């Protein structure tokens, strides 16, 4: 996230616009194909015994639901990596590790299944060309790796200085079926609300509302808890919200400044 923000502000300093396409995948962790994953594990150098171990780890698993002491029928798990496990995030990262090679004219940032393709240019035409070209390649990669693109949660945003208003609707990015990609004025990415000028005003409004609500609940229950318990509530419910992403939305320093 920090590198993404730095690239945008670097573009601001050089009087450039930055277009960003946020891609959402449907149940990404659950869609990982086991045989493709084993192929990719082999490609990074795992030996035969390791591949056999992972083959046993991934295959022949079953799952069911438990409700009120009753179990549902067992179903075989023929794809996906185990969520909540130590290996799950690592295996998913290995599976998508070659995705960035599909972006030639733009940048790409991956964080688990959150993906953003972005490009900083002086004009909208160049931004559209670079992102559209790479997004087409990314869509083909998603198809070949058996992922599903969630169009309803994928958005394009245009980041620009406040003094240089350009309508994001001037960019017409499309999916492979030629349907248009939705344009957003603000977008929640990795827990932070982003707006077109990276002022973080939308994020701060959400932040203040969340803190106020939690402090109000704590105040109303002030007589229900001891001081030590209230301190624990603050450390678990208030402080993490204050700390999360604070380095991201601090006032940026001009990257071209000589000071």
């Amino acid at each position: 996230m920090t590198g993404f923000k730095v690239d945008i502000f670097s573009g601001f300093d050089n009087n450039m616009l930055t277009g960003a396409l946020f891609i959402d995948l449907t149940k990404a962790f659950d869609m990982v194909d086991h045989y493709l994953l084993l192929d990719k594990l082999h490609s990074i150098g795992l030996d035969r015994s390791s591949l056999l171990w992972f083959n046993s780890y991934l295959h022949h698993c079953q799952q069911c639901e438990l409700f009120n002491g009753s179990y549902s029928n067992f179903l075989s798990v023929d794809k996906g990596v185990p969520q909540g496990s130590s290996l799950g995030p690592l295996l998913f990262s290995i599976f998508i590790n070659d995705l960035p090679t599909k972006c030639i004219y733009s940048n790409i940032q991956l964080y688990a299944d959150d993906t953003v393709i972005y490009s900083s240019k002086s004009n909208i035409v160049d931004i559209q060309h670079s992102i559209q070209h790479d997004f087409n390649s990314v869509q083909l990669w998603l198809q070949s790796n058996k992922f599903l693109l969630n169009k309803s949660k994928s958005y394009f945003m245009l980041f620009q200085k406040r003094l240089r208003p350009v309508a994001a609707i001037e960019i017409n990015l499309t999916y492979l079926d030629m349907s248009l990609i939705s344009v957003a004025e603000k977008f929640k990415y990795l827990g932070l609300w982003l707006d077109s000028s990276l002022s973080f005003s939308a994020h701060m409004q959400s932040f203040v509302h969340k803190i106020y609500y939690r402090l109000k609940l704590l105040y109303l229950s002030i007589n229900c808890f001891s001081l030590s318990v209230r301190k624990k509530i603050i450390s678990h419910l208030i402080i993490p919200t204050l700390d999360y992403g604070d380095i991201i939305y601090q006032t940026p320093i001009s990257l071209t400044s000589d000071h």
Side-chain angles (χ1 to χ4, degrees):
M1 176 64 178
T2 304
F4 177 46
K5 174 199 172 188
V6 170
D7 288 342
I8 294 175
F9 277 120
S10 178
F12 286 175
D13 288 342
N14 291 286
N15 200 31
M16 293 191 295
L17 307 167
T18 297
L21 177 58
F22 299 92
I23 301 173
D24 185 83
L25 303 179
T26 301
K27 298 182 179 179
F29 278 76
D30 296 330
M31 296 298 294
V32 173
D33 183 274
H34 291 165
Y35 294 102
L36 289 176
L37 176 57
L38 290 171
D39 287 341
K40 295 188 180 189
L41 290 173
H42 178 263
S43 69
I44 64 174
L46 268 67
D47 58 21
R48 184 174 183 275
S49 60
S50 299
L51 292 173
L52 289 173
W53 186 92
F54 274 107
N55 182 69
S56 176
Y57 175 75
L58 294 169
H59 290 109
H60 312 300
C61 294
Q62 293 184 320
Q63 66 182 12
C64 69
E65 293 287 338
L66 172 63
F67 181 73
N68 286 341
S70 299
Y71 289 91
S72 67
N73 294 330
F74 280 84
L75 295 175
S76 297
V77 180
D78 56 1
K79 58 184 176 181
V81 293
Q83 296 191 48
S85 64
S86 299
L87 283 175
L90 175 61
L91 292 174
F92 184 82
S93 296
I94 292 173
F95 192 85
I96 65 171
N97 189 53
D98 59 323
L99 175 56
T101 63
K102 304 304 176 182
C103 290
I104 301 174
Y105 299 106
S106 54
N107 300 309
I108 184 171
Q109 179 170 293
L110 306 176
Y111 186 85
D113 58 337
D114 290 302
T115 303
V116 56
I117 302 172
Y118 63 99
S119 176
S120 297
K121 305 288 183 180
S122 58
N123 62 78
I124 284 185
V125 174
D126 290 341
I127 290 176
Q128 176 163 328
H129 176 268
S130 59
I131 293 182
Q132 185 69 71
H133 178 279
D134 290 342
F135 182 49
N136 289 343
S137 299
V138 166
Q139 290 179 88
L140 293 175
W141 183 93
L142 293 174
Q143 291 180 359
S144 64
N145 285 271
K146 302 182 181 180
F147 279 124
L148 295 177
L149 185 62
N150 190 343
K151 295 183 179 180
S152 64
K153 294 184 179 179
S154 298
Y155 293 94
F156 172 81
M157 277 191 67
L158 184 66
F159 297 94
Q160 56 189 315
K161 287 184 178 180
R162 295 181 180 179
L163 299 179
R164 183 185 176 179
V166 177
I169 57 175
E170 294 181 26
I171 292 186
N172 295 313
L173 294 173
T174 63
Y175 297 100
L176 290 178
D177 62 4
M178 300 309 295
S179 60
L180 290 175
I181 297 171
S182 300
V183 176
E185 295 183 358
K186 61 180 181 179
F187 185 81
K188 191 175 185 180
Y189 179 61
L190 301 182
L192 297 176
W193 282 100
L194 306 178
D195 57 81
S196 61
S197 62
L198 280 192
S199 67
F200 290 99
S201 58
H203 178 72
M204 296 310 298
Q205 290 175 4
S206 173
F207 169 81
V208 170
H209 176 76
K210 184 183 297 184
I211 292 295
Y212 174 80
Y213 177 75
R214 294 180 180 180
L215 287 174
K216 182 179 179 180
L217 291 178
L218 184 61
Y219 176 77
L220 293 176
S221 60
I222 191 171
N223 296 322
C224 301
F225 306 109
S226 64
L227 178 61
S228 61
V229 172
R230 294 202 301 273
K231 287 183 178 179
K232 289 183 179 180
I233 293 175
I234 290 176
S235 65
H236 286 82
L237 295 181
I238 307 298
I239 301 300
T241 303
L242 290 170
D243 288 341
Y244 182 78
D246 54 356
I247 192 173
I248 299 297
Y249 52 79
Q250 64 182 340
T251 302
I253 299 175
S254 175
L255 299 177
T256 59
S257 174
D258 295 330
H259 300 291

